[in-house]
Amino acid sequence: MGTSHFDRLVFGRRTRGIARTGSSWALLAAATLALAAGSMVRAAIPAQGWRIDEEKTAIGFKIEAVGFPTTRGRFTRYSGRILLDLDHPAKSFTSFTVDSDSVELGSKAFDDFVKSAALLNVTRFPTLSFTSTQVEKLDPHTARVTGNLTMLGVTKPVALTVNVETEPSGKRRVIAFSATATVKRSDYGMIFGIPLIDDALEITVKTRALSDE
Amino acid sequence: MSERTISECPASDRAWPRALRLLHWASAVLVISALGLGAYMVQVVEDPAERFDLTQTHKTIGVVIFALTFVRLCLRVLTTAPRHAHASRLLAAKAMHAGLYALLLLLPASGWLMATTTPVRVPTVVLGLFTLPYPLAPDLATYRVAHAVHVTAAISLALLVLLHSAAALAHALVGRGHHRRDAARVRPALRPAPE
């Protein structure tokens, strides 16, 4: 997509079956070249596209409770973007927004209860979102992404640990991201069930990008 | 009191009234379901969504049992129990029934107390018709006590149900000769005085 000097990845899914959004993807070396040349990134590099593997993209959470099985849920409607600079990781950026109404825990009654005012309060707070403010590369496969998480209308800083794996998979290149963070939900005003339900809420975001070949 | 064979005893002497019998069997089915569900959902189920759904079903059954037991007790108070000649067995039966009635009230009551005082407060919708009121505020200490009472009472009820079923079965299979045998015992008042 033209003039950006970042590798840009846009992902999102409204409902199942709708065509995934995608974007063109410029290689790093070519990106630096593009800075010098000013434009025409596509002409400078061999044509190569990337796409998000939506089957492997998941935004979910996990919470423990006393005398109750570990509860896992996921959100099926979300959108987001990753701007990735593998040479200068600190310049990378990510943000994603989730439809709180799209939560799924395995049964309608359970979903409805979690969506109610006791927990997610979806009628009042239709989205949850995260926007990164800082990216720090810890080692070749790990980065720490600090940013602001907004939940129930409250915004607090959160640090996500992101695992980055690049896999040559035959002719295809694959980059897999797996990010986790544990937040105290009481910080966001979600105090229901404490102490029988843990204050600690583990959030996981996984996604994968595949090169076209 | 005259001597009568079993066929000459009026029906009310031999059996409980039909309404009570119907309510008894309806209650028995519900109680065994609630006990089974309670044990299963806590000890076996690993899926949180299934556990959530089963808990709602369990609570609804409990409320129905409570209402049913209340109706049964009202009818029971107004009913003459069938004749039973063996005083000791009669006492055992009365104790058993009293225990069962008590637990059938205590279990739903303690369950309701759990539902209202738990920090994890989930509305209880009974048969899709109404929501159970929760007049008490959540309180972890009270919840823990209510939970202990509920579980202990459940185990006690399970044991009593087994005993009660065994006794009822034994009575049905073995005790049929009561009336015929006991009819003979009634006679002493009519016997001529010993010399």
Side-chain angles (χ1 to χ4, degrees):
Chain A
M1 257 77 197
T3 56
S4 168
H5 54 275
F6 286 106
D7 295 331
R8 178 188 297 164
L9 209 62
V10 178
F11 65 92
R13 176 163 64 168
R14 287 290 146 200
T15 54
R16 283 183 193 278
I18 290 183
R20 52 179 100 80
T21 63
S23 73
S24 56
W25 171 280
L27 286 175
L28 243 310
T32 346
L33 229 91
L35 259 174
S39 64
M40 305 293 281
V41 172
R42 281 187 204 265
I45 47 138
Q48 189 166 18
W50 290 77
R51 60 183 177 82
I52 292 297
D53 183 353
E54 300 240 337
E55 296 306 307
K56 295 274 163 62
T57 299
I59 300 181
F61 58 88
K62 184 175 92 162
I63 193 158
E64 306 286 349
V66 174
F68 196 84
T70 302
T71 302
R72 288 185 175 85
R74 60 189 188 137
F75 294 95
T76 57
R77 286 195 310 274
Y78 49 83
S79 64
R81 48 209 298 259
I82 304 174
L83 273 68
L84 185 64
D85 189 332
L86 291 165
D87 264 3
H88 308 280
K91 292 183 180 173
S92 303
F93 169 82
T94 181
S95 74
F96 50 91
T97 303
V98 151
D99 276 7
S100 52
D101 192 47
S102 71
V103 70
E104 279 182 12
L105 293 110
S107 88
K108 183 171 185 305
F110 202 15
D111 293 349
D112 285 347
F113 180 69
V114 170
K115 291 182 197 178
S116 74
L119 284 160
L120 284 180
N121 204 352
V122 303
T123 40
R124 210 170 141 208
F125 304 107
T127 58
L128 304 157
S129 61
F130 175 80
T131 307
S132 72
T133 52
Q134 191 187 338
V135 178
E136 189 191 332
K137 179 174 170 176
L138 301 175
D139 63 51
H141 298 289
T142 322
R144 183 183 295 130
V145 177
T146 311
N148 291 319
L149 176 67
T150 303
M151 202 161 66
L152 298 186
V154 175
T155 303
K156 296 261 170 183
V158 143
L160 290 151
T161 305
V162 187
N163 216 56
V164 184
E165 296 291 338
T166 49
E167 323 153 15
S169 168
K171 284 190 177 171
R172 286 186 168 193
R173 284 184 56 203
V174 177
I175 301 188
F177 303 92
S178 175
T180 43
T182 302
V183 300
K184 277 182 71 178
R185 54 193 182 89
S186 56
D187 284 349
Y188 300 83
M190 194 190 283
I191 55 169
F192 177 80
I194 294 170
L196 292 188
I197 304 182
D198 257 16
D199 196 3
L201 177 68
E202 188 187 283
I203 298 168
T204 309
V205 181
K206 287 191 211 277
T207 188
R208 218 161 84 123
L210 311 169
S211 67
D212 280 337
E213 205 83 53
Chain B
M1 205 185 293
S2 58
E3 178 186 332
R4 286 180 291 183
T5 59
I6 193 167
S7 56
E8 286 165 344
C9 288
S12 60
D13 270 8
R14 281 184 281 131
W16 294 95
R18 183 168 291 151
L20 270 178
R21 274 188 280 153
L22 214 70
L23 287 172
H24 166 271
W25 288 109
S27 182
V29 167
L30 290 173
V31 166
I32 290 171
S33 308
L35 282 172
L37 248 186
Y40 176 72
M41 75 193 195
V42 167
Q43 303 292 344
V44 178
V45 171
E46 284 174 358
D47 176 42
E50 191 185 347
R51 168 77 182 266
F52 182 88
D53 288 347
L54 289 180
T55 309
Q56 308 320 306
T57 308
H58 178 83
K59 286 193 285 181
T60 297
I61 297 177
V63 173
V64 175
I65 291 172
F66 188 84
L68 214 62
T69 306
F70 184 74
V71 171
R72 282 174 74 191
L73 270 171
C74 290
L75 285 179
R76 176 69 185 87
V77 158
L78 301 167
T79 302
T80 315
R83 284 177 54 193
H84 197 301
H86 282 241
S88 60
R89 280 191 213 166
L90 184 59
L91 197 62
K94 283 191 171 192
M96 167 67 80
H97 299 166
L100 284 169
Y101 278 122
L103 286 172
L104 285 178
L105 292 174
L106 180 63
L107 264 169
S110 57
W112 171 81
L113 191 61
M114 278 174 71
T116 182
T117 57
T118 175
V120 186
R121 221 185 216 206
V122 178
T124 306
V125 182
V126 184
L127 301 170
L129 295 171
F130 68 95
T131 306
L132 207 61
Y134 288 163
L136 296 180
D139 177 62
L140 192 58
T142 310
Y143 167 74
R144 290 206 159 117
V145 170
H147 179 254
V149 168
H150 193 76
V151 172
T152 309
I155 295 170
S156 308
L157 182 61
L159 289 171
L160 277 191
V161 163
L162 281 170
L163 258 176
H164 170 69
S165 309
L169 207 61
H171 187 229
L173 294 175
V174 174
R176 281 199 189 141
H178 273 183
H179 286 264
R180 208 159 288 135
R181 273 202 315 273
D182 296 339
R185 291 195 192 158
V186 169
R187 284 182 109 195
L190 303 173
R191 280 195 198 133
E195 288 167 50

